[in-house]
Amino acid sequence: MPESKGRAKRAYTPPPKPAKAKIGNPPWFVPVMLTLMVVGLLWIVVFYITSQRFPIESIGRWNLGIGFGLMLSGFAMTTRWR
């Protein structure tokens, strides 16, 4: 009885590796983070230097809340920075 030809086995090729997810932040992230912190600091400094007349005189000491809020927003962004 004649022997059949064996099939040629292909060389093993491993499956392609999945593409790595891009880790990092968009390019606008760091400038916005730093801007918020600096603007908040400047807001408070201007408030004290101008004897509480600027940036907004009518809200009085709430200017401190705005300044600290801006700085806190920038600081909160630092926790997401990669």
Side-chain angles (χ1 to χ4, degrees):
M1 179 172 250
E3 287 187 34
S4 62
K5 293 182 182 180
R7 285 192 226 167
K9 291 186 179 181
R10 294 183 181 177
Y12 174 74
T13 55
K17 293 181 181 178
K20 287 186 178 180
K22 182 180 176 186
I23 297 177
N25 298 101
W28 55 266
F29 192 84
V30 173
V32 170
M33 175 183 70
L34 294 175
T35 301
L36 284 172
M37 289 191 279
V38 169
V39 167
L41 179 65
L42 289 176
W43 192 285
I44 293 171
V45 168
V46 167
F47 178 69
Y48 278 121
I49 289 177
T50 62
S51 300
Q52 304 177 5
R53 291 187 188 158
F54 292 103
I56 305 172
E57 185 176 10
S58 63
I59 63 173
R61 294 198 182 263
W62 280 102
N63 281 304
L64 291 175
I66 293 171
F68 280 115
L70 290 169
M71 288 193 306
L72 187 61
S73 299
F75 180 73
M77 289 179 74
T78 63
T79 63
R80 299 290 182 189
W81 183 26
R82 295 183 191 240

